[in-house]
Amino acid sequence: MSHTNDNNQFRLIGYICISPANTYIDTEILDLRHARCQNIFKDIVPYSSKEKPNFKGLLSTLEKGDMVVVPSISRTGRDLKDLLDTIKAIESKGCYIKSLKETWFNTYTNDSSLITDMISSFVVFEKNLLLEKQQEGVNDAKERGVKFGRKLDPLADVDLAMNLYTEGRYTVTKICTLCHISRNTFYRELDKRGLGR
C-alpha cells in the first residue's frame, strides 16, 4: 500500500555506505543535510565485508515511522543482496527508506513490496550471471589443459587457483571467485609455494 503524505512529518535520518577506496563524500553528506536529516550515519567497509556497524547503530535509534534517507541506491549496501537486507531491516522497525537520486526508490510513497520483489529478482539474476561466468572460466581452463587439484571442500580449489595465477591470464580477484577461495588463502598458498606476488 502506498502513501501520499508529505515526508516533512518524518524524522529523517541519513545513511551512507562506502568503500575505503571512495571516501570523498562531502557533496553527498551536504545533500543529506539539505534534505533535513537530523542525524547521518556512515559506514566505510571493504567490498568483501558484510559488517556495517554504524548501520546497526542507526537501526537501534529508529522509531516507528522514521524515514532513512540515502544519497543514492549505490550508497546503501555493498551489493544487491545487501541492499535487499537493508530494506528489510528498516521495514522490520516500521520505518521507510528513500533515495535522493533515484526518486522512485521510496518505500513510503511507493509499494515497498513491489520494490523488494524487483530487487529480489535482480539478486537472483546477478547470482545466475556469476555462476555462468564461473562455469565459463572453469570450462575455458579445462580446454587449455589446466588440471584441477584436490579440493579443500566441495567448492574451493587452491591448486587450480595457483595454476591460473601462473598462466597470468586472470586477475587475483577473478581467480578467487572462480576457485571459491579467499584472497588470504590465495596469498598464503602463493607464499607457501614460493611463487611470489
Side-chain angles (χ1 to χ4, degrees):
M1 180 178 180
S2 62
H3 306 268
T4 57
N5 291 5
D6 191 278
N7 284 344
N8 288 336
Q9 66 178 302
F10 296 113
R11 188 170 70 121
L12 302 174
I13 301 174
Y15 179 69
I16 184 167
C17 179
I18 58 174
S19 71
N22 188 12
T23 57
Y24 183 76
I25 54 173
D26 291 358
T27 300
E28 292 168 310
I29 293 293
L30 190 60
D31 289 341
L32 291 175
R33 295 195 184 284
H34 283 165
R36 298 188 301 279
C37 291
Q38 298 178 21
N39 295 302
I40 298 175
F41 292 79
K42 178 177 67 175
D43 275 314
I44 301 177
V45 294
Y47 183 81
S48 59
S49 174
K50 296 301 181 182
E51 293 298 320
K52 299 189 295 186
N54 289 325
F55 178 68
K56 292 181 179 179
L58 180 154
L59 288 177
S60 69
T61 68
L62 288 180
E63 299 175 0
K64 186 175 181 180
D66 286 346
M67 172 71 78
V68 176
V69 184
V70 295
S72 66
I73 294 177
S74 64
R75 298 306 198 199
T76 304
R78 309 308 300 133
D79 52 34
L80 286 173
K81 178 64 167 58
D82 190 20
L83 170 61
L84 185 62
D85 290 342
T86 298
I87 296 173
K88 291 180 178 179
I90 292 171
E91 287 193 326
S92 72
K93 305 286 286 188
C95 301
Y96 311 97
I97 180 173
K98 74 171 185 176
S99 165
L100 297 179
K101 182 178 180 180
E102 298 88 2
T103 55
W104 60 268
F105 184 75
N106 185 326
T107 60
Y108 182 78
T109 59
N110 295 309
D111 191 331
S112 63
S113 64
L114 292 178
I115 293 177
T116 54
D117 285 348
M118 180 180 67
I119 295 175
S120 295
S121 297
F122 280 125
V123 169
V124 174
F125 176 70
E126 184 181 57
K127 181 178 180 180
N128 288 339
L129 279 182
L130 179 62
L131 291 175
E132 287 180 8
K133 289 179 180 179
Q134 173 189 326
Q135 190 58 51
E136 287 176 1
V138 171
N139 291 341
D140 180 60
K142 286 181 177 179
E143 289 176 1
R144 289 182 285 104
V146 175
K147 302 298 182 180
F148 285 77
R150 180 182 179 183
K151 297 182 179 181
L152 299 178
D153 60 49
L155 293 176
D157 195 326
V158 176
D159 289 337
L160 174 60
M162 296 299 102
N163 288 338
L164 293 177
Y165 175 78
T166 301
E167 289 188 1
R169 294 187 56 179
Y170 296 101
T171 64
V172 172
T173 298
K174 186 168 185 179
I175 291 173
C176 291
T177 299
L178 289 173
C179 301
H180 292 281
I181 62 174
S182 68
R183 293 177 70 90
N184 287 339
T185 298
F186 174 86
Y187 284 118
R188 184 167 57 247
E189 191 67 17
L190 204 66
D191 291 338
K192 178 180 177 181
R193 302 189 185 201
L195 297 178
R197 300 197 180 195

